[in-house]
Every structure is written in C-alpha cells, then in structure tokens.
Amino acid sequence: MPMPVDVSKWETHYAAGRDFRPVLDEEMTAFDEAVPESLGRRALDIGCGTGGFARFMRTRDFTVLGLDCSGNAVSRATAASEHLQNISFSKWNAELDSWQSIPTADLISCRLSYAFIQDKNNFLRNVFENLVPGGIFYVMTPMSQDLPEERKATGISREEAAELCEGWASVKKLQLDAHHVRYALTRGAD
C-alpha cells in the first residue's frame, strides 16, 4: 500500500507563501461546459490549497467546503475568504481522515491535487461513495508525459488517467493547454 502524502512538505510550501496557478478564463469556460446548471449546488474541493478554485465555484452558486491536509493552506484560504458566504475550509487529509466526517456532495473537485494522492484506487472509491447519484467528480491535472523531467511528479501518467476514467456513467475530457487536462466524471443514478 502506498504511503500517504508527506504533509510537512505542504506545510512548508504554504508557510513560505507559495501557491499554484490561478484559475484562468479558459478553465472557467471548461468548468461551465462540463458542469450543468441543473446539478445540485453542494461542492467539496479536495486539496483546495489557498482556496482559489473553491472561491471560483462559489461564484457559480455552489456552497463549497474546501479541504486540505495543510493547516497553513487552510489558514490562508480562510483569511482570503472571510468576507464571503457559502464557503468554508477545513484541515482534512483525504488519505488518512474519515470520509464519513465530510458531507456527501453534488460536485467533488480535485484541481491540481489528484497527482499527489498516493493510493488513487482507494481515493477514487471514496470519491464515488461521497458523490450523490448523478454527481460529478471534476479533476484538472497536468499529464506527466507533457511536463519537463523536474515536474513530472506533479502530473499523472496515461495509465493513471485511464484508471481515473474507469467505472463512471460518463467521462468528459478536455485538453486545456499543452500540459493540463480537465476530466468531468459523472456518477450514474443508482
């Protein structure tokens, strides 16, 4: 069984004031094309970092709970969102903490964080079980084969992408740019 992600690495990353790329216009458009307005409005953002994507989903009328294993990231996300309603953040580790402690959701997002999940099979099973029937798992990730050698670990392989897409009622894939792919995976109605 793979070892869970090293949380201290992320605590150091966020304590140093570092972040990831902002939500770009083309990603907003890709999200809007993949997530219908008819979908329920409860969202979980797993690996939320400093909360940029959670705040974006809030602009699409979602009530969002952002979750991250780094307390430093959660503190920064909370501070940047303290004036907003229908958004909250919590320290929670997707590989170590109980999935029963978080609510089910209509949408679960994993933006730029899926590659860092060590036990992807267990994670995907938990995501599936926490989505309501008809819910969507939204993943935006780099593909490792498209990245320079020093950044390959921040992406997923073709094999991992194929495993990600197994077992869903529908799969929508979109190449966002030279490095990033968006997947919208829909859980079937039970």
Side-chain angles (χ1 to χ4, degrees):
M1 183 167 140
M3 295 295 295
V5 69
D6 180 6
V7 175
S8 65
K9 169 185 165 184
W10 295 109
E11 292 293 5
T12 301
H13 174 90
Y14 290 111
R18 296 179 64 203
D19 208 341
F20 288 93
R21 79 185 219 164
V23 182
L24 304 174
D25 289 344
E26 56 269 18
E27 190 179 353
M28 292 179 199
T29 301
F31 179 89
D32 293 340
E33 290 171 355
V35 179
E37 289 185 25
S38 60
L39 187 69
R41 294 289 149 194
R42 294 169 300 153
L44 299 174
D45 187 17
I46 297 176
C48 68
T50 58
F53 196 67
R55 286 187 294 279
F56 159 72
M57 288 191 294
R58 188 192 152 277
T59 69
R60 299 311 196 253
D61 296 324
F62 282 93
T63 297
V64 184
L65 172 58
L67 302 163
D68 202 283
C69 65
S70 166
N72 289 325
V74 169
S75 294
R76 287 178 57 193
T78 300
S81 307
E82 64 186 356
H83 61 286
L84 302 174
Q85 295 180 345
N86 299 323
I87 190 168
S88 60
F89 297 92
S90 184
K91 183 178 178 191
W92 180 82
N93 189 317
E95 295 189 274
L96 297 176
D97 294 331
S98 170
W99 283 73
Q100 294 175 341
S101 68
I102 59 171
T104 58
D106 304 295
L107 175 70
I108 297 177
S109 63
C110 216
R111 179 186 183 268
L112 300 174
S113 56
Y114 182 72
F116 300 105
I117 298 293
Q118 301 301 300
D119 187 350
K120 289 178 176 54
N121 289 330
N122 189 49
F123 177 79
L124 288 170
R125 188 184 79 255
N126 285 320
V127 165
F128 189 86
E129 291 173 0
N130 264 61
L131 275 174
V132 300
I136 293 176
F137 181 37
Y138 182 92
V139 177
M140 195 276 268
T141 185
M143 298 301 294
S144 59
Q145 72 270 5
D146 299 329
L147 296 171
E149 195 61 41
E150 67 275 7
R151 290 191 46 228
K152 287 197 183 297
T154 66
I156 64 172
S157 68
R158 287 185 180 101
E159 294 80 17
E160 289 170 322
E163 291 170 2
L164 169 65
C165 295
E166 290 176 6
W168 299 95
S170 74
V171 174
K172 296 178 184 174
K173 176 184 174 185
L174 177 69
Q175 187 78 36
L176 288 172
D177 58 33
H179 305 292
H180 298 87
V181 176
R182 179 271 287 153
Y183 294 93
L185 310 156
T186 304
R187 178 180 171 173
D190 291 343

